[in-house]
Amino acid sequence: MAYNSISEIIEICKEDGISFYEAVMRDTCKDTGHSEEENMTRMSEMWRVMCEASVGYDADLKSRSGLVGGSGRQMEAYMKSGGSYCGEFILTVMAEALKMGESNACMKRIVAAPTAGSCGVMPSVYIAVKKNHGFSDEAIVKSMFVAAGVGQVIAARAFIAGATGGCQAEIGTAAAMTAAGLVALKDGTPEQIANAVAMTLKGMLGLVCDPVAGLVEVPCVKRNVTGAANAVVCAEMALAGIDSAIPVDQVIDAMREVGDNMPSIYKETACGGCANTPRGLEVARMLEKS
Amino acid sequence: MNVFDILGPVMVGPSSSHTAGAVRIGYVTRVMLAEEPVRAEICLHGSFAATGKGHGTDTAIIAGLLGMKPSDMNVPRSFEIAREKGLDFHFENMVVKDAHPNTAVINVEGDGGRSIRIQASSIGGGRIMVNRIDGIEVNFTGESNTLIVHNTDMPGNVSRITSLLAEKKINIATMQLYRHEKGGFAVMILETDQDVPQEIIEEAQVLEGIIKVTYLQAVEV
Ligand code: SF4
């Protein structure tokens, strides 16, 4: 893996007069030994599975704890009722994020992006972008490389697992990747991509990993929604020309510092946060008995 | 690490370590058994024992033993399928000394009489590490083509295998040697750049000092 910082990618874009997508693709071709076309095919398969998972959502399923299931349908019904504050685009994002998170909790097929717990953030936004703004599958798949390239740098400089860095590393990374993809879709500059990533991560810095009973259900499913919304608003800020006061690589390093200093009760051990609330503990005891 | 380590794997939920990794552990165990499994004793350690049930770790391991990959939609139905296929299984919780928190120990018997004992851990993102084979400490992921050779701990065995591979123009990427005790029985783990064809495995099998040869074709995570 060639890129250890976002600034390095921006540098290469400038020097060689290429786009962020091209910089990531060039590195991917080198690493996988496959052509651009082959890599595009493989990424298209990820996108296809994401869409298939959305279509295959079953609102009647319940997760093992019984706490998760059916919210995606509720959100869609609310959207149709027409009385909401938000517009259709963001409502679609919300419904899709819930559907994907619930499908994951109910053992349906998903794409880890970057993890299974955070699998709803990216597809929810892309599905809404396709439905409401008419972007092509090809444009979406290309921007997924931009998103994954950003994820790669975060994985190299910090972490992408709740067990090592808290939820900022999972939902935070998923949101930052998605924001980057959104900016790339609208032909934003590499600097704008960097700003979107920085702003998204700053908004999620310090988020703890506190799954009730140790299961990827609560608060995970709904955090996919808030992560996705965060990605959208930060991409919009970046596209509006707003800069991040702290450069992106320094924000990623800050996330690392926060994660390194985070007590282990907030790293997927189910000993703190939501997991340690009276209700959370009650659910855990209930599951142990069954 | 490339972009497909970030986006992917395609998997059945809910957890890449507790579900996808667990399927892979079962799958790799089946490949090493090289027979249809008929009986399996599975011990879960650490977080696999604590939250495995809620994450479907048990269903996932059985799915892998039945030959399913992490993306197989039938993973949640594996217990039912195991019964249809006549795989008898049993789960227990166990504390394994110095083991990774997500560890399983699988004792499995095949329909042809072979048996194997595998200790493996799920190390994140659906990736796994095999830690022990039949009590001998080893270390490999199954992400490369892997040749596992049980042999007597005698001079010449290593060179017999490596020259056989060299003859067929198969490049060895990494090689590890492990043994039970001096002069006893040993395991060679060779990761190769090229696929190892069946005839080489058969040829290796009958070489002097070689007890058992198992081949694991690289499995994408
Ligand atoms: S709370 Fe933990 S398990 Fe849940 S999504 Fe966040 S990092 Fe993943």
Side-chain angles (χ1 to χ4, degrees):
Chain A
M1 131 93 194
Y3 301 125
N4 281 304
S5 67
I6 305 277
S7 48
E8 196 185 323
I9 301 179
I10 295 178
E11 211 48 48
I12 285 172
C13 292
K14 271 205 202 113
E15 266 170 33
D16 299 355
I18 57 174
S19 68
F20 202 108
Y21 160 77
E22 286 166 322
V24 175
M25 180 53 97
R26 198 157 79 181
D27 180 52
T28 305
C29 291
K30 226 191 290 162
D31 194 279
T32 59
H34 294 144
S35 67
E36 174 168 1
E37 201 188 323
E38 287 165 324
N39 286 315
M40 275 296 282
T41 305
R42 189 161 169 201
M43 192 63 94
S44 303
E45 175 60 14
M46 304 286 169
W47 172 230
R48 194 188 62 74
V49 175
M50 287 173 175
C51 295
E52 198 180 83
S54 163
V55 173
Y57 170 69
D58 182 348
D60 294 325
L61 288 182
K62 284 273 176 227
S63 64
R64 284 224 178 170
S65 73
L67 292 178
V68 162
S71 300
R73 175 167 57 197
Q74 279 175 290
M75 201 61 222
E76 280 180 334
Y78 177 67
M79 175 161 63
K80 285 201 188 94
S81 77
S84 67
Y85 288 116
C86 296
E88 203 177 309
F89 172 70
I90 212 76
L91 289 167
T92 306
V93 169
M94 294 167 74
E96 292 297 332
L98 286 168
K99 282 159 69 177
M100 203 63 73
E102 289 179 325
S103 292
N104 178 56
C106 298
M107 290 192 87
K108 301 267 284 183
R109 183 157 63 192
I110 52 91
V111 181
T115 61
S118 57
C119 71
V121 176
M122 179 182 283
S124 68
V125 173
Y126 278 137
I127 288 169
V129 151
K130 186 178 171 181
K131 200 171 130 201
N132 293 279
H133 296 287
F135 284 96
S136 71
D137 289 325
E138 193 194 336
I140 288 173
V141 173
K142 278 190 168 173
S143 83
M144 282 168 75
F145 278 95
V146 171
V150 165
Q152 223 179 13
V153 172
I154 299 177
R157 289 183 89 89
F159 13 57
I160 56 167
T164 44
C167 201
Q168 56 169 4
E170 273 195 26
I171 298 281
T173 301
M177 288 165 58
T178 306
L182 280 176
V183 174
L185 260 183
K186 286 250 192 199
D187 295 326
T189 64
E191 286 82 4
Q192 285 176 318
I193 292 173
N195 282 320
V197 172
M199 289 188 280
T200 310
L201 277 185
K202 281 191 290 183
M204 308 206 101
L205 219 53
L207 191 62
V208 299
C209 171
D210 51 351
V212 169
L215 303 179
V216 191
E217 298 188 14
V218 178
C220 316
V221 170
K222 287 166 194 147
R223 261 188 203 155
N224 276 275
V225 183
T226 46
N230 191 18
V232 173
V233 298
C234 291
E236 296 280 40
M237 280 198 279
L239 286 166
I242 298 170
D243 291 338
S244 167
I246 313 288
V248 62
D249 293 315
Q250 294 179 30
V251 174
I252 299 172
D253 293 345
M255 177 172 116
R256 162 107 199 204
E257 180 210 290
V258 171
D260 280 342
N261 288 296
M262 195 180 270
S264 75
I265 59 166
Y266 301 127
K267 289 181 181 170
E268 215 180 16
T269 51
C271 296
C274 290
N276 196 32
T277 56
R279 176 62 180 146
L281 293 168
E282 189 190 338
V283 171
R285 271 196 304 273
M286 203 178 72
L287 281 171
E288 224 164 85
K289 269 191 227 137
S290 68
Chain B
M1 179 178 281
N2 65 50
V3 291
F4 298 108
D5 295 311
I6 302 290
L7 281 179
V10 172
M11 55 170 276
V12 162
S15 159
S16 48
S17 54
H18 287 64
T19 323
V23 177
R24 272 175 67 80
I25 289 176
Y27 183 84
V28 165
T29 304
R30 176 198 172 94
V31 174
M32 285 193 275
L33 177 69
E35 281 178 5
E36 192 64 38
V38 290
R39 210 175 334 278
E41 289 285 329
I42 300 132
C43 298
L44 302 178
H45 159 87
S47 170
F48 263 14
T51 67
K53 228 182 164 138
H55 283 127
T57 303
D58 46 4
T59 1
I61 290 178
I62 297 300
L65 283 174
L66 292 168
M68 292 183 219
K69 301 268 182 74
S71 61
D72 198 310
M73 299 273 230
N74 280 323
V75 168
R77 282 187 52 236
S78 71
F79 282 11
E80 210 181 305
I81 298 170
R83 268 189 292 275
E84 286 163 17
K85 288 198 170 175
L87 165 62
D88 191 26
F89 61 89
H90 178 75
F91 280 92
E92 239 173 81
N93 288 344
M94 182 171 104
V95 178
V96 185
K97 227 178 106 205
D98 298 326
H100 183 281
N102 298 328
T103 294
V105 180
I106 306 178
N107 264 306
V108 58
E109 279 169 42
D111 60 356
R114 267 172 76 125
S115 71
I116 197 164
R117 182 184 168 89
I118 299 290
Q119 179 182 321
S121 47
S122 176
I123 55 175
R127 304 176 60 217
I128 68 162
M129 185 71 83
V130 178
N131 312 119
R132 275 175 191 278
I133 301 176
D134 294 331
I136 297 184
E137 203 181 315
V138 295
N139 250 310
F140 64 92
T141 62
E143 287 162 36
S144 313
N145 298 313
T146 311
L147 199 62
I148 303 143
V149 184
H150 284 62
N151 55 284
T152 55
D153 189 14
M154 299 275 283
N157 286 341
V158 173
S159 67
R160 269 192 283 276
I161 293 287
T162 52
S163 33
L164 177 63
L165 291 174
E167 234 172 74
K168 309 283 178 185
K169 304 237 174 330
I170 292 173
N171 192 39
I172 299 170
T174 71
M175 174 160 157
Q176 307 163 50
L177 300 171
Y178 304 91
R179 63 180 174 184
H180 235 350
E181 55 202 22
K182 227 180 177 160
F185 122 79
V187 173
M188 248 182 269
I189 310 280
L190 300 114
E191 292 182 313
T192 64
D193 291 332
Q194 291 82 16
D195 193 15
V196 182
Q198 183 60 30
E199 70 248 29
I200 297 190
I201 299 165
E202 278 162 20
E203 235 175 279
Q205 209 116 34
V206 295
L207 287 176
E208 196 196 328
I210 305 301
I211 301 167
K212 176 163 91 172
V213 180
T214 315
Y215 179 57
L216 188 66
Q217 200 176 30
V219 213
E220 267 173 24
V221 185

